[in-house]
């Protein structure tokens, strides 16, 4: 009984620590979120979600080679994560490795990820967080995929005005 209670408390603490890390990210406290997820990975090195989010945080902080390492590690733990392939494609693109970027985008599409909508979802999340520069970049990526979407151009113009204020 003692072991079960200990394990349950440990799992709850890991869950709460993850929530704190994600909350820090949403509060634009990226460095704090990154430190929490580094600690979480040391505690739970085989948790694909922790490793994937750590990779995402490295990506967000433009630490692309660290992001590549962690995102690939997450895919080693579970290769059926279309969103991780998408972020990995973005990361490879940022370091100029277009071949690897395309391969990862293809995997994400193969696993049924709609890349256009992924960029739009990112843009909306960044916008809600007040990260207008990042939102504009995501809208621009979506616009590259579908240049006919006038809504995207309006959002870019609207956010650009917001930044100028």
């Amino acid at each position: 009984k003692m072991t079960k209670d200990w394990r349950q408390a440990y799992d709850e603490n890991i869950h709460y620590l993850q929530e704190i890390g994600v909350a820090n990210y949403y509060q634009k406290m990226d460095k704090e979120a990154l430190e929490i997820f580094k600690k979480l990975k040391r505690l739970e090195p085989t948790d694909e979600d922790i490793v994937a989010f750590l990779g995402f945080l490295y990506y967000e902080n433009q630490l692309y080679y660290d992001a590549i390492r962690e995102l690939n590690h997450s895919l080693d733990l579970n290769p059926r994560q279309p969103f991780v392939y998408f972020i990995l494609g973005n990361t490879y693109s940022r370091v100029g490795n277009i071949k690897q970027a395309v391969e990862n985008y293809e995997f994400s599409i193969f696993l049924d990820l709609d890349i256009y909508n992924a960029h739009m979802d990112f843009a909306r999340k960044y916008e809600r967080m007040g990260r207008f520069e990042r939102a504009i970049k995501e809208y621009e990526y979506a616009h590259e995929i579908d240049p006919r979407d006038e809504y995207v151009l309006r959002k870019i113009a609207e956010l650009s005005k917001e930044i100028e204020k």
Side-chain angles (χ1 to χ4, degrees):
K1 180 166 168 81
M2 184 72 152
T3 304
K4 183 179 178 187
D5 291 340
W6 178 87
R7 185 64 200 185
Q8 182 179 357
Y10 176 83
D11 290 343
E12 286 175 2
N13 286 335
I14 293 294
H15 174 75
Y16 292 134
L17 197 52
Q18 281 178 281
E19 286 183 357
I20 291 167
V22 170
N24 280 333
Y25 167 72
Y26 281 114
Q27 295 296 315
K28 302 180 188 178
M29 298 167 55
D30 293 345
K31 288 183 182 11
E32 293 83 351
L34 191 56
E35 289 306 312
I36 289 171
F37 272 86
K38 284 183 197 177
K39 290 175 185 173
L40 281 166
K41 185 190 175 205
R42 284 194 297 275
L43 293 169
E44 294 292 328
T46 59
D47 185 313
E48 68 203 47
D49 294 328
I50 288 172
V51 176
F53 200 76
L54 176 59
F56 173 72
L57 290 171
Y58 279 129
Y59 168 79
E60 286 287 293
N61 286 279
Q62 300 176 356
L63 300 167
Y64 297 128
Y65 292 101
D66 292 323
I68 289 168
R69 181 190 65 242
E70 297 304 336
L71 294 167
N72 276 315
H73 180 202
S74 178
L75 291 170
D76 288 342
L77 296 169
N78 177 4
R80 299 201 48 82
Q81 301 181 78
F83 190 71
V84 174
Y85 283 109
F86 171 72
I87 296 298
L88 191 53
N90 285 352
T91 309
Y92 277 121
S93 175
R94 300 307 181 272
V95 298
N97 190 335
I98 303 306
K99 182 179 184 247
Q100 284 296 106
V102 170
E103 284 180 16
N104 281 281
Y105 288 141
E106 287 175 348
F107 274 120
S108 69
I109 292 168
F110 177 74
L111 294 172
D112 289 329
L113 180 74
D114 180 340
I115 291 179
Y116 174 81
N117 282 326
H119 282 299
M120 292 297 288
D121 289 344
F122 261 122
R124 289 182 196 108
K125 286 179 184 175
Y126 286 134
E127 189 176 347
R128 283 193 301 270
M129 293 168 59
R131 295 178 177 210
F132 299 135
E133 292 89 359
R134 293 299 305 246
I136 288 172
K137 284 184 182 180
E138 292 299 328
Y139 282 126
E140 288 172 343
Y141 296 139
H143 180 68
E144 288 174 11
I145 294 169
D146 184 2
R148 300 166 296 159
D149 191 342
E150 292 183 22
Y151 169 79
V152 173
L153 293 176
R154 284 194 308 273
K155 288 304 289 183
I156 292 169
E158 174 186 314
L159 293 176
S160 294
K161 286 180 184 175
E162 192 67 35
I163 291 171
E164 291 174 8
K165 289 183 182 178

